[in-house]
Amino acid sequence: MADSEPDPDALRRRRERILRGFAEAVPHNRALGIEIVELGDGRARYRLPYDPRLIGNPETGVLHGGAITALLDACCGSAVFNALPQPQPIATLDLRIDYLRPAVPPHAVVASAHCYKVTRNVAFVRAVAYHDDEADPIAAAAGTFMVATKLGDPARRKPAGGGA
Amino acid sequence: MRARIGEARAAGDVDRLIQAVPYARFLGLTAAIVDGRVVVTMRYGDHLIGNPTLPALHGGTLGALLESAAIFELLWSSETIVVPKTVTITVDYLRSGRPVDTYASGVVTRQGRRVANVLVDAWQEDPAQPIATAHAHFLIKRDEPDGDRG
């Protein structure tokens, strides 16, 4: 309130720190070994290191599709969260994943998600998972998320008047 | 894998298939045959949580459970001789996943020579109130010497 002209860089750093804190607090992300590569406005990049615990086909050592699903879901959720004007609870409504080719062991999988539209109730997001080259993806995803779910925030304040 | 699938089918022990998959063990999955269908259980564990405030299961764990249940239903009931490869899966999240055991079971809606379609539900207390559903397409391979191998 006293700062009439906050430093935009400081605000951005503070925001990224808060967003990173939320992302790092997710137990399942930690269990999978997910690393947060970068977070930006409506964008997120996560990295899943190869881990023998996540193998789906014991004959080939290829990661289970479910692990890629979890990575993409987490990364999409983070991109949506980063697109919101202030932190609000969100919930996945649906997520479609196309598996374009198998992940190659023992390489890490990177997911890159972009939340390209946020409305009052719903956020829309796209993502890809890849090894080294985003233009040569392993999987592509499209999802929608509910914004400001009543669940999840017991202390949820009434939105200030005029909110879109 | 072919031998392992055959052994499990012969022994009527679907859980043997599941325990061969490291990621299924990571999630805490077990399987049993109920009324002729594979029912996969995801035992609750704190590492499955996505939202610690609620708390609620991570959406990815439900997606993974649904995908696994679909794959095990195919391994069990179809004639595929390879582990089905997921082509596409769409998950609808209907309710928040509470921190309790979750069950999933699939139905093979169409099985062609190369591709199979599976519908699968996940529920907690009441199968009539699913918390998530999915439909998925898988590439499969049947044991047909003259069949299409693609």
Side-chain angles (χ1 to χ4, degrees), chain B residues 1-134:
Chain B
M1 197 67 205
R2 191 177 187 166
R4 195 175 270 159
I5 296 169
E7 278 169 27
R9 278 185 191 143
D13 183 4
V14 67
D15 198 53
R16 191 185 296 191
L17 278 180
I18 272 218
Q19 299 316 321
V21 177
Y23 182 70
R25 294 199 302 269
F26 169 78
L27 282 180
L29 303 187
T30 56
I33 306 296
V34 179
D35 298 331
R37 280 167 61 190
V38 179
V39 175
V40 177
T41 301
M42 181 165 73
R43 278 190 314 274
Y44 174 71
D46 291 341
H47 68 299
L48 303 178
I49 290 294
N51 179 335
T53 317
L54 273 176
L57 297 177
H58 194 290
T61 67
L62 294 174
L65 168 66
L66 289 161
E67 187 172 336
S68 297
I71 289 172
F72 288 114
E73 178 61 37
L74 274 174
L75 281 174
W76 191 249
S77 67
S78 82
E79 292 150 30
T80 186
I81 54 166
V82 295
V83 177
K85 278 188 197 161
T86 315
V87 181
T88 174
I89 179 165
T90 305
V91 181
D92 291 341
Y93 293 92
L94 308 175
R95 294 176 175 83
S96 165
R98 287 174 304 106
V100 297
D101 292 355
T102 309
Y103 309 92
S105 183
V107 177
V108 179
T109 43
R110 182 183 184 270
Q111 190 188 160
R113 278 183 308 169
R114 293 185 297 168
V115 75
N117 178 276
V118 186
L119 291 179
V120 52
D121 284 351
W123 71 92
Q124 293 184 322
E125 267 82 45
D126 183 0
Q129 297 223 310
I131 62 166
T133 69

Side-chain angles (χ1 to χ4, degrees), chain A residues 2 18 22-23 25-26 48 56 77 84 90 93 95 104 106 116 131-132 140 146 153 157:
Chain A
I18 292 170
F22 273 104
V26 176
L48 178 68
L84 302 176
I90 57 170
L93 198 55
L95 185 67
V104 181
Y116 60 94
H131 284 311
D132 303 310
M146 288 304 292
D153 188 3
R157 289 178 296 272

Side-chain angles (χ1 to χ4, degrees), chain B residues 113-114 140-150:
Chain B
R113 278 183 308 169
R114 293 185 297 168
I140 57 172
K141 195 184 270 186
R142 285 174 153 185
D143 193 5
E144 296 170 295
D146 301 313
D148 184 343
R149 290 279 169 178

Side-chain angles (χ1 to χ4, degrees), chain A:
Chain A
M1 330 271 160
D3 304 74
S4 51
E5 287 180 44
D7 171 12
D9 280 344
L11 275 180
R12 193 176 307 119
R13 282 195 301 274
R14 181 168 176 273
R15 183 172 149 82
E16 183 168 341
R17 213 164 45 238
I18 292 170
L19 295 175
R20 190 172 277 268
F22 273 104
E24 285 172 348
V26 176
H28 190 63
N29 291 356
R30 285 204 303 267
L32 286 168
I34 284 175
E35 298 162 1
I36 297 153
V37 180
E38 60 179 331
L39 301 171
D41 285 338
R43 292 185 186 270
R45 197 182 307 272
Y46 280 19
R47 183 173 178 275
L48 178 68
Y50 183 79
D51 183 334
R53 294 177 308 156
L54 307 181
I55 289 171
N57 185 335
E59 284 175 357
T60 58
V62 171
L63 292 180
H64 195 283
I68 313 268
T69 300
L71 171 69
L72 283 165
D73 183 89
C75 192
C76 285
S78 183
V80 169
F81 202 69
N82 300 348
L84 302 176
Q86 69 268 333
Q88 295 179 87
I90 57 170
T92 319
L93 198 55
D94 66 35
L95 185 67
R96 172 186 166 126
I97 298 176
D98 297 341
Y99 290 96
L100 309 173
R101 63 183 180 87
V104 181
H107 298 287
V109 178
V110 178
S112 171
H114 178 212
C115 175
Y116 60 94
K117 175 74 178 170
V118 181
T119 70
R120 181 179 193 150
N121 292 305
V122 182
F124 300 83
V125 60
R126 292 191 198 102
V128 289
Y130 59 95
H131 284 311
D132 303 310
D133 181 2
E134 200 168 334
D136 182 22
I138 296 161
T144 55
F145 285 71
M146 288 304 292
V147 177
T149 52
K150 263 185 264 175
L151 301 159
D153 188 3
R156 186 184 177 211
R157 289 178 296 272
K158 283 198 167 172

